[in-house]
Amino acid sequence: MALLSLNIALLAILSNTPRTLALDNGVGRLPFLGYNTWNAYHCEINETVLRSTADNMVKLGLQDVGYQYINIDDCYSEKNRSADGNIVANATRFPSGMRNLTDYIHGLGFKAGIYSDSGWFTCQLFPGSFQNEARDARLFQEEWGFDLLKYDNCAVPFDEIIKEGIVGKYSRMAQAIADLAAETGKPPLLFSLCEWGREQPWLWARNFGQSWRTTDDIDSSWKALANLINRNSFITWASDFSGHNDMDILEVGNGDLTVDEAKSHFTAWALMKSPLLIGTDLSIISDEMLSVLKNEEIIAINQDPVVGTAITPFRWGFNPDWTFDPAHPAQFWSGQSQNGTVFMLINVLDEAADMHFNLTESPWIRAGRQYSVRDLWTHTDNGTAIRDFTAEAVPPHGVVALLMKDAGDEPEGTQPPCQRPEWCMDQNGTRIDNTNFPGF
């Protein structure tokens, strides 16, 4: 209770903190979709890779389903700043210059993202932006033409130099972005904070940026995915139109993930309203994995312009509710959308399993009503659910994603009188759960 009270108090304080001007123009209201170079290429990036990636995003139809950003991660610069203090693009990797590259990306209809760090250096020891925030914001947006900045957390200055906590450390660049936007009259850089979740950015980062990392880096294993889903299940409340929990780059198509695991990965990220950033070499991605990334019905929930909140667990399933278990996250989830109630069922077992729930376990379902069922992976309408639903033989580590819409009153006379018997009461004062009513 003490930790909960502390978090509530901190949230109340920060909610009254003036938000920077960088957030007042509608930038980043919805989670951003795009591509990031790190997982597929690490430091082996150059302008040819970026141009080819942008071309493939168009050719493979990813742009058509909503992916907008082509983002460059670490290692793009020279090791030292120029004599006048600017970051310099690596002459070997980017001989045509960054402006030439962003012009090409923009010419294809995309936006472009760049990377820097809140410390002395980036995580790969290239120049960071500490004490150069205003200079670098201007370079990235005005001179190089970028639209998004991913901002990392390595190479932290000594305390006697920085004299800031984590909030102040990130507010320096947030303010530089805001000042530049005020000066130029242009939309600000979309500011994506990469703080790794160790300082609870979901409590404070919405004052500065449009998304915030919630965990350490992902890897392409089911163990890693289950861990990230588990950790984010406790902070789903933080994602809405004012900012988004960033669960890190998508690993769909990387490593040894099965197609079923990839579907679970994509569904959880999308429905928890995380940014969706592809991290796969698109020149070798399989058709099956590509189809996962192009699920328009799942993407539509992520990009819902009416409902900005994430899905949340309503029952843990394998464990008692509220259990923190990196190997077995919550299994039964639901949330709102403009078109109905969304459900996500994740089979955390290593074998196929039936998954059953009562509809009114979700707070978004009305008692006494029936609901049409849309399967968001098979893209089929699957009849009507009355009171409960069973997904049969869900594959190991697999997922079921459903959209349920109110289809009117349930059939007259449906028994028992309450699907969930606790404190169900007749008008005469008889508690149904204390009787021998058939079915109880």
Side-chain angles (χ1 to χ4, degrees), residues 314-364:
F314 61 83
R315 176 155 48 93
W316 262 243
F318 180 86
N319 288 306
D321 290 351
W322 303 106
T323 299
F324 187 95
D325 183 349
H328 302 97
Q331 294 186 272
F332 296 87
W333 305 61
S334 70
Q336 296 174 290
S337 81
Q338 64 176 323
N339 293 316
T341 301
V342 183
F343 288 87
M344 179 177 74
L345 317 178
I346 300 178
N347 180 9
V348 301
L349 304 178
D350 296 332
E351 58 189 23
D354 293 347
M355 301 187 69
H356 175 88
F357 64 95
N358 297 328
L359 267 60
T360 54
E361 288 185 83
S362 165
W364 315 117

Side-chain angles (χ1 to χ4, degrees), residues 241-407:
F241 289 136
S242 64
H244 317 288
N245 290 330
D246 181 352
M247 298 167 67
D248 203 12
I249 302 167
L250 293 167
E251 283 288 275
V252 175
N254 287 339
D256 297 322
L257 291 182
T258 68
V259 173
D260 289 320
E261 291 170 342
K263 288 180 178 179
S264 295
H265 177 18
F266 188 75
T267 303
W269 266 236
L271 301 190
M272 278 196 265
K273 301 298 180 83
S274 172
L276 301 177
L277 287 173
I278 299 167
T280 306
D281 182 346
L282 293 177
S283 67
I284 58 174
I285 191 170
S286 70
D287 290 342
E288 278 188 310
M289 291 297 184
L290 181 62
S291 70
V292 172
L293 294 170
K294 292 175 66 176
N295 187 325
E296 293 185 72
E297 293 191 75
I298 298 290
I299 291 172
I301 305 298
N302 180 264
Q303 294 291 295
D304 192 325
V306 176
V307 178
T309 50
I311 60 169
T312 58
F314 61 83
R315 176 155 48 93
W316 262 243
F318 180 86
N319 288 306
D321 290 351
W322 303 106
T323 299
F324 187 95
D325 183 349
H328 302 97
Q331 294 186 272
F332 296 87
W333 305 61
S334 70
Q336 296 174 290
S337 81
Q338 64 176 323
N339 293 316
T341 301
V342 183
F343 288 87
M344 179 177 74
L345 317 178
I346 300 178
N347 180 9
V348 301
L349 304 178
D350 296 332
E351 58 189 23
D354 293 347
M355 301 187 69
H356 175 88
F357 64 95
N358 297 328
L359 267 60
T360 54
E361 288 185 83
S362 165
W364 315 117
I365 290 291
R366 298 169 59 192
R369 307 287 283 180
Q370 57 187 326
Y371 285 80
S372 64
V373 180
R374 175 73 176 179
D375 189 310
L376 302 181
W377 279 108
T378 63
H379 308 295
T380 55
D381 295 318
N382 294 351
T384 302
I386 301 172
R387 295 203 170 184
D388 57 11
F389 183 88
T390 299
E392 297 181 350
V394 181
H397 307 164
V399 72
V400 173
L402 307 171
L403 181 64
M404 293 196 180
K405 297 182 181 181
D406 192 313

